[in-house]
Amino acid sequence: MQTIQVHDKKFIPYITAEEINSEVRSIADRLSTDYAESKPLFIAILNGSFIFAADVFRALRIPAEICFIKLASYKGTKSTGEVITSIGLDADVFGRDVIIIEDIIDTGKTLNQFLPQLEHQQPKSMKICALLHKKECTVFPIHIDYLGFTIPDRFVVGYGLDYDGYGRNLNGIYQLEEQ
Ligand code: IMP
Ligand code: MG
């Protein structure tokens, strides 16, 4: 992995594709065991989670469904504090075992806003699966049931995560270079 440039910023290698792949497999194994009998419904939060969600979903060994919603709170490298829903939930979650898939949990604002909406529709259970967690940034504490990596408060791109739309196609995860 090499230092890369996205727009005006430099990013340094942080988590390799191999390390991600091994975490994805272990998360999918745990999910396959925990939900062996229940035909769960995965809800992936677009845009950032599309690659992680696809890889976890493909690695499952159980019958499961997946659907997508679109929420966003970031502009550039900063959280705006406001969560906008642009594609809503079209699946029936009533009585289902639901697993939400996020790329990264930062302040917790996105899920803090979405979870009560989902709870209102009375799923049987509701768990969170996230690739990354910026623990130091917590404003709204969220319990993460299936977590890949805890990372420091430094902006990252790659494996679905973007800086103003770019960088999502990188296979590994890269961290903003310190100024
Ligand atoms: P939260 O609502 O503050 O928890 O933010 C979660 C959302 O912010 C994630 O789903 C990402 O889309 C975005 N985000 C937070 N940190 C980063 C980052 O370091 N790189 C890219 N996107 C990020
Ligand atoms: Mg996101």
Side-chain angles (χ1 to χ4, degrees), residues 83-96:
V83 183
I84 296 159
T85 307
S86 52
I87 300 178
L89 185 63
D90 58 2
D92 186 6
V93 304
F94 181 81
R96 301 288 303 269

Side-chain angles (χ1 to χ4, degrees), residues 73-74 102-104 106-110 134 155-156 161-162:
S73 66
Y74 253 67
E102 257 287 35
D103 50 352
I104 181 166
D106 179 25
T107 62
K109 175 130 193 162
T110 307
K134 283 186 188 163
F155 194 76
V156 289
L161 292 118
D162 71 305

Side-chain angles (χ1 to χ4, degrees), residues 50-149:
F50 77 112
I51 292 178
F52 175 53
D55 284 353
V56 167
F57 196 71
R58 267 191 299 196
L60 293 173
R61 291 172 278 101
I62 52 166
E65 282 185 85
I66 188 165
C67 68
F68 301 87
I69 59 162
K70 186 166 179 178
L71 304 174
S73 66
Y74 253 67
K75 181 140 186 59
T77 62
K78 296 274 175 320
S79 177
T80 61
E82 197 193 334
V83 183
I84 296 159
T85 307
S86 52
I87 300 178
L89 185 63
D90 58 2
D92 186 6
V93 304
F94 181 81
R96 301 288 303 269
D97 286 315
V98 170
I99 302 127
I100 295 158
I101 308 197
E102 257 287 35
D103 50 352
I104 181 166
I105 297 177
D106 179 25
T107 62
K109 175 130 193 162
T110 307
L111 286 184
N112 184 67
Q113 180 168 311
F114 178 61
L115 295 181
Q117 295 174 26
L118 194 61
E119 241 163 57
H120 196 69
Q121 298 184 43
Q122 303 179 352
K124 183 175 167 205
S125 71
M126 208 167 67
K127 299 266 156 115
I128 314 286
C129 170
L131 178 67
L132 305 171
H133 185 205
K134 283 186 188 163
K135 222 174 176 172
E136 300 157 34
C137 299
T138 303
V139 178
F140 302 95
I142 303 281
H143 178 75
I144 307 171
D145 304 279
Y146 302 89
L147 174 66
F149 305 89

